[in-house]
Amino acid sequence: MQLTNRINRIQVSPTAVVINAAEQLKAKGVDVADFGPGEPDFPTPDHIKKAAIQAIEENRTKYTPTGGITPLREAIVAWHNRELGSGYTAKECAVNVGGKHSIFNVVCVLIQNGDEVILPAPYWVSYPDIIKYAGGTPVIVHTRQEDGFSAKAAAIEKAITSKTKMVMVNSPSNPTGAVVDEEEYLKILAVCKKHNVWLMTDECYSHFVYEPHKPFSVASAKDSKDRVIVIGSMSKTFAMTGWRVGYTLAPEALIQAVIKIQSQSTSNPTSIAQYAALEAMRGSMETVPVMLAEYAKRRKRIVEGLRTIPGVTCEWPGGAFYAFPNISAHLKGPNALAQSCTEISQQLLEKVHVALVPGEAFGAPGYLRLSYATSIERIDEGLRRLSRFFTRAEAAA
Ligand SMILES: Cc1ncc(COP(=O)(O)O)c(C=O)c1O
């Protein structure tokens, strides 16, 4: 079949590949220790579900304005102002079909052939493919494990050329959990302003940060608005991955372009999901610290557990719900388990039924991503299996 060059430039998300392989095993009755999915294992809070049910009962089931219902756009900017200190108006907000869709729209309206987009690595899997689909070139800037994988302004500035249009920063990060501290974020903003490039800040995990970090948005900085594009999502903060609601905060002209592309593609996000999101933005946030406290316990368990495995090092993630161990010692020398983390992750699934995502998916060979959005019991079971595998006990069995 003759497909377009643009579709041939991208691949199916590697996280989806892992999730599908794990699902196939589970369907055969295999007990998989699943560290694959990047989604909260908590249910959507009741008050949000009730708002959606009420929306259905009140027949709010028709098309809405393309960029989202006005009360939701107003509630999002009010929430962002209250929680993160920005100063947007409803006209500077578009509601999209999840944060991924927000990023896709923004890249499609700003990036074209020949443009460069700077990505600190390890990066979220979808960024490079979205950039390539739009005709742009991802320019990778490696962060260092010693810096906790935090993006640095100086390294970003070095990578800027006359073709650079945008820098994408994701803090807390998927896959590393790295948090860019306030001071460094402001330096990155200053670099973007100096070189007239956009700073896209992906805040999907903004409220899942561990002490001493606090939720932070670079959009709270004075005079940031003309260079910053905020990507937000209901998915993680409110355990709403399936509802598909995200948003973009940006200058009005850019929001108008986002609404234009949306008007010719998805139209509005689902009306019912928008009413659920409205409740998320206006209602109680009491479930958020409850989830965070649980993630904090799991984080301790998994990082400490991984650190007991020979040849494995692991930083403390500052936020999100991912551990990102370095297993490169197991890829070297005469006793190497495999040549790559992709091979290791296949072996882990086959031999000890552990599902996780190889670092190559995030531009970080030598690492693995484990989502700890799963129970302590399952974390313990997974750690036992990983320990068996990496100490070669499995091979001997
Ligand atoms: C860093 C990051 N950005 C954006 C998204 C998109 O989330 P959604 O499309 O569910 O809002 C995700 C989801 O995993 C993510 O990890």
Side-chain angles (χ1 to χ4, degrees):
M1 195 193 306
Q2 181 82 41
L3 300 174
T4 60
N5 290 340
R6 60 177 181 269
I7 192 70
N8 286 332
R9 283 199 290 267
I10 66 172
Q11 50 177 327
V12 175
S13 166
T15 41
V17 173
V18 173
I19 291 164
N20 292 343
E23 289 309 319
Q24 277 176 18
L25 272 187
K26 286 184 204 169
K28 287 187 201 154
V30 175
D31 171 34
V32 177
D34 197 353
F35 296 113
E39 70 174 347
D41 55 329
F42 301 99
T44 303
D46 278 342
H47 66 107
I48 297 175
K49 291 195 280 199
K50 282 193 186 124
I53 292 165
Q54 191 183 342
I56 296 174
E57 283 171 354
E58 290 174 359
N59 294 315
R60 297 176 193 270
T61 52
K62 304 289 169 68
Y63 292 132
T64 76
T66 308
I69 52 173
T70 303
L72 178 55
R73 292 170 78 186
E74 287 169 351
I76 289 171
V77 296
W79 182 90
H80 205 271
N81 169 276
R82 194 169 68 237
E83 292 290 322
L84 297 158
S86 65
Y88 289 98
T89 63
K91 285 186 174 163
E92 295 165 315
C93 171
V95 187
N96 319 109
V97 187
K100 188 187 280 185
H101 184 226
S102 311
I103 299 164
F104 191 88
N105 284 346
V106 162
V107 170
C108 281
V109 303
L110 286 177
I111 303 302
Q112 58 195 352
N113 287 344
D115 290 343
E116 293 179 353
V117 179
I118 294 179
L119 285 186
Y123 46 70
W124 182 46
V125 266
S126 292
Y127 293 155
D129 286 70
I130 293 176
I131 295 163
K132 287 188 214 159
Y133 189 78
T137 306
V139 174
I140 309 302
V141 172
H142 291 280
T143 61
R144 297 169 354 132
Q145 186 173 343
E146 305 86 277
D147 296 331
F149 302 103
S150 175
K152 297 284 175 206
I156 289 172
E157 184 160 28
K158 268 199 205 137
I160 291 182
T161 71
S162 57
K163 294 182 184 159
T164 309
K165 283 279 148 44
M166 190 187 287
V167 175
M168 288 185 173
V169 177
N170 169 219
S171 173
S173 149
N174 174 3
T176 62
V179 172
V180 178
D181 69 40
E182 220 169 300
E183 200 184 325
E184 197 62 37
Y185 232 131
L186 296 177
K187 284 189 197 159
I188 297 173
L189 173 63
V191 164
C192 290
K193 288 179 86 140
K194 177 171 153 200
H195 295 276
N196 276 331
V197 303
W198 290 100
L199 172 56
M200 192 203 87
T201 161
D202 181 341
E203 300 180 351
C204 288
Y205 298 92
S206 62
H207 281 60
F208 293 140
V209 283
Y210 308 103
E211 289 292 334
H213 301 290
K214 297 268 177 288
F216 171 73
S217 171
V218 72
S220 62
K222 203 166 150 271
D223 299 330
S224 59
K225 262 189 178 180
D226 56 341
R227 280 288 136 214
V228 167
I229 302 164
V230 174
I231 302 296
S233 172
M234 305 294 147
S235 288
K236 320 285 172 169
T237 319
F238 302 100
M240 290 178 71
T241 44
W243 299 77
R244 311 308 304 131
V245 185
Y247 58 85
T248 310
L249 304 175
E252 193 182 338
L254 179 47
I255 292 298
Q256 285 306 326
V258 162
I259 292 175
K260 186 161 138 188
I261 188 174
Q262 205 155 281
S263 77
Q264 297 297 9
S265 52
T266 55
S267 297
N268 60 271
T270 306
S271 62
I272 302 151
Q274 287 191 61
Y275 284 97
L278 181 60
E279 174 59 24
M281 293 287 93
R282 283 182 178 166
S284 160
M285 296 252 303
E286 67 189 10
T287 49
V288 179
V290 175
M291 286 192 271
L292 180 61
E294 190 55 38
Y295 288 141
K297 277 191 232 156
R298 299 168 180 184
R299 165 185 180 256
K300 186 168 184 305
R301 191 68 148 245
I302 198 161
V303 172
E304 287 177 354
L306 287 166
R307 286 178 166 190
T308 64
I309 301 175
V312 175
T313 62
C314 187
E315 302 304 309
W316 286 101
F321 39 69
Y322 305 102
F324 202 62
N326 181 338
I327 59 139
S328 52
H330 290 280
L331 300 175
K332 292 181 209 135
N335 289 331
L337 277 169
Q339 298 299 310
S340 69
C341 284
T342 303
E343 270 178 58
I344 293 263
S345 63
Q346 282 157 0
Q347 289 182 16
L348 279 167
L349 195 56
E350 280 162 26
K351 294 188 176 163
V352 287
H353 305 142
V354 171
L356 42 69
V357 187
E360 285 89 354
F362 313 98
Y367 293 86
L368 299 172
R369 189 197 78 173
L370 287 83
S371 161
Y372 51 86
T374 185
S375 69
I376 290 273
E377 294 71 34
R378 295 310 290 166
I379 290 173
D380 285 346
E381 176 59 27
L383 285 169
R384 276 192 291 275
R385 296 184 194 187
L386 287 168
S387 181
R388 267 198 343 255
F389 179 84
F390 283 111
T391 54
R392 288 22 176 206
E394 188 57 34

